[in-house]
Amino acid sequence: MEKQNIYEKPVSLKNILKFAVPTIAMTVFMSFYTMVDGLFVSNLIGTDALSAINLTAPVIQLVTAISTMLATGGSAVIMKKMGEHKSEEAKEDFTFLILVNVLVGLVMCAIGYLAMGHIFSGMNLSTEVERYCVEYLSRYLIFTVPILLMNNFTLYMIASEKATLSLVCSVSGGVLNMVLDYVFIAGLGMGISGAAVATGLGYSVTAIAGFILFSQKKSLLHFKKPVFRFKVLANAAANGCSEMATALVTGIVTMMFNWTMLRYVGEDGVAAVTIIMYVLMFASSLYTGYSYGVAPMTSYYYGEQNQEKLKKLVMTSLKVIGGISLTTVAASFLLTKPLVSVFARPDNPVYDLAVTGNRVCTIALLFIGFNIFASGTFTALSNGVVSAVLAFSRSFVFMMVAMIVLPRFFGVNGVWLATPAAELMALALSAAMLLKYRKQFGL
């Protein structure tokens, strides 16, 4: 089979990048058009609206957390079965997990609408910002199911050796999002609701393309009559629980950032946090894209019990991530002011806050890539427990400790220092886990 020949090629930087580059380009572009979304909102509506998008982020991350769990965990389970040459069973499980995602999306959408009225009322926001929050979230939730399917189909396209198609979908969806942002906000005067609708329609491109692709029997993975296997669902949930924890905890940490900045600076601080998160997200997308790209290879080689290829894949990946880390740190330091000025003018109080914050937070880029790769590797190896420990410790335990302690000593600068401090602690834990399980998995 063509698929088998490709996975059986020697593990070299060239062959790894054939998997990873389209995925890196895809995740970078997705983060880029998220930044452009914020750019349109901040310049055409105002920084209050930009703050509102960040304030709704925890709710959005909660909605997508379960889908992320099933997508990453399910991909690991299914590609392991493909490596074991159980292709028909893998296709049945694939279809079953997609149906589960649709049901989850409907339930989460309903819960979101029921809870929306109570979410922002207790945050002591200005009337204008609270109105922006409700308006944005109410439109975004309409697209819950397509967004969940987008998360899933993105990973399954990669696993099916259609990473280029996934990239095309992301680029097409991103361009559509950016065009519609301008049309809806500037042309039709829809305000922040236009930004939400544009985002939802952009994400829907991958969902539609995925349905078309996986309905074709010539695809490596395709829909067939699903079989309910509780063990498959449980394994997918266990393997992907780290990614779910990351999504959930990111929402909690975002709320903590927002509350802390509201306390020290006010709503200008929330806008500054939003800008810095865009920059960190853009840089982190390089690591996330690489990890997503090599994950199917890791799962396949693990299913084959090919320890030689696994070891070479991991060692080469660590070198690649080290190179990316140094590049992103240098670029972020050099481009801090131009990046921030895109979202806020120098005479805006948000500008100075964001410039200072970004320069401090940039230090975290030295560590983030290794932490993302370590967690993703354990997920691909079907060791969801270790992956969850890494992700939960990094995103919640270490971040909470840093957020509670550092601002007490350094004020607003302590808020910015929290991210590098948490990532450094997480790096130590990631290294310890990779060394501990090195012999067991042949790493």
Side-chain angles (χ1 to χ4, degrees):
M1 289 174 59
E2 182 184 359
K3 187 68 176 180
Q4 290 177 325
N5 290 335
I6 289 173
Y7 275 104
E8 288 172 1
K9 284 184 178 180
V11 177
S12 64
L13 180 60
K14 179 181 177 181
N15 289 331
I16 291 172
L17 293 180
K18 284 182 180 179
F19 271 83
V21 167
T23 316
I24 292 172
M26 176 195 68
T27 53
V28 166
F29 191 82
M30 288 178 67
S31 67
F32 175 72
Y33 79 70
T34 300
M35 290 176 67
V36 172
D37 213 27
L39 172 64
F40 276 110
V41 168
S42 62
N43 284 278
L44 296 178
I45 306 176
T47 53
D48 280 350
L50 185 65
S51 299
I53 289 180
N54 193 27
L55 290 165
T56 60
V59 181
I60 292 170
Q61 287 156 348
L62 174 63
V63 169
T64 58
I66 295 177
S67 173
T68 302
M69 171 188 71
L70 294 174
T72 55
S75 177
V77 170
I78 289 168
M79 290 314 296
K80 182 173 180 289
K81 285 191 175 183
M82 295 294 287
E84 296 168 344
H85 307 297
K86 299 177 181 177
S87 59
E88 294 305 307
E89 191 174 320
K91 293 168 190 172
E92 293 169 352
D93 295 341
F94 161 69
T95 310
F96 165 60
L97 290 175
I98 292 299
L99 289 175
V100 170
N101 271 274
V102 172
L103 292 175
V104 167
L106 294 172
V107 171
M108 296 301 289
C109 179
I111 292 174
Y113 273 105
L114 290 173
M116 188 165 46
H118 307 284
I119 294 172
F120 306 107
S121 59
M123 297 179 68
N124 295 320
L125 303 173
S126 66
T127 303
E128 187 74 0
V129 172
E130 184 174 342
R131 181 179 65 82
Y132 281 141
C133 289
V134 174
E135 189 176 343
Y136 184 84
L137 187 60
S138 63
R139 305 305 189 276
Y140 190 96
L141 287 174
I142 296 171
F143 298 93
T144 301
V145 172
I147 289 170
L148 300 190
L149 290 176
M150 180 274 297
N151 288 338
N152 280 263
F153 288 154
T154 294
L155 292 186
Y156 287 120
M157 283 179 185
I158 297 166
S160 297
E161 216 179 311
K162 298 293 183 181
T164 302
L165 174 62
S166 184
L167 171 61
V168 170
C169 290
S170 297
V171 172
S172 302
V175 171
L176 179 64
N177 181 20
M178 288 184 274
V179 171
L180 292 180
D181 267 333
Y182 184 79
V183 172
F184 291 161
I185 299 174
L188 301 180
M190 293 175 62
I192 197 170
S193 64
V197 173
T199 299
L201 291 174
Y203 284 151
S204 298
V205 171
T206 302
I208 295 169
F211 264 117
I212 295 172
L213 171 66
F214 296 119
S215 297
Q216 300 174 6
K217 291 187 177 181
K218 64 181 180 181
S219 175
L220 180 70
L221 287 175
H222 58 258
F223 297 130
K224 64 177 301 182
K225 186 177 180 180
V227 176
F228 177 83
R229 296 185 179 96
F230 179 77
K231 185 177 180 181
V232 170
L233 181 59
N235 286 342
N239 288 335
C241 63
S242 62
E243 281 70 22
M244 182 186 74
T246 299
L248 288 173
V249 167
T250 299
I252 296 171
V253 170
T254 301
M255 284 193 293
M256 281 199 64
F257 266 107
N258 292 339
W259 289 338
T260 305
M261 294 308 291
L262 284 170
R263 175 185 173 189
Y264 282 97
V265 184
E267 290 170 354
D268 285 341
V270 176
V273 167
T274 307
I275 294 170
I276 292 167
M277 283 185 173
Y278 282 149
V279 176
L280 287 177
M281 177 181 62
F282 183 76
S284 297
S285 65
L286 294 165
Y287 315 123
T288 303
Y290 183 86
S291 298
Y292 280 173
V294 300
M297 299 175 71
T298 303
S299 298
Y300 193 94
Y301 298 147
Y302 177 57
E304 267 192 333
Q305 292 298 300
N306 195 326
Q307 294 186 348
E308 182 181 349
K309 284 189 173 182
L310 267 179
K311 183 176 181 179
K312 191 168 184 181
L313 178 63
V314 171
M315 296 306 295
T316 305
S317 295
L318 291 176
K319 294 176 183 177
V320 171
I321 290 171
I324 295 174
S325 298
L326 294 175
T327 303
T328 54
V329 168
S332 184
F333 269 120
L334 290 173
L335 299 175
T336 290
K337 288 187 176 181
L339 285 171
V340 172
S341 65
V342 169
F343 297 93
R345 295 177 180 177
D347 59 349
N348 190 319
V350 172
Y351 178 85
D352 289 333
L353 283 169
V355 167
T356 302
N358 188 69
R359 285 174 172 163
V360 175
C361 286
T362 290
I363 300 169
L365 295 177
L366 289 171
F367 320 122
I368 290 176
F370 296 103
N371 294 327
I372 290 174
F373 177 73
S375 180
T377 296
F378 280 108
T379 297
L381 293 170
S382 296
N383 193 327
V385 174
V386 173
S387 183
V389 168
L390 292 178
F392 186 74
S393 298
R394 169 193 170 226
S395 302
F396 186 70
V397 177
F398 298 146
M399 184 62 77
M400 288 285 283
V401 170
M403 282 290 294
I404 291 171
V405 174
L406 294 178
R408 293 178 180 270
F409 293 96
F410 303 105
V412 175
N413 287 331
V415 179
W416 307 135
L417 284 168
T419 299
E423 293 292 345
L424 180 59
M425 290 186 281
L427 179 65
L429 181 61
S430 295
M433 288 297 182
L434 285 171
L435 289 173
K436 179 179 179 180
Y437 289 94
R438 186 176 182 180
K439 291 184 178 180
Q440 179 179 334
F441 293 107
L443 306 177

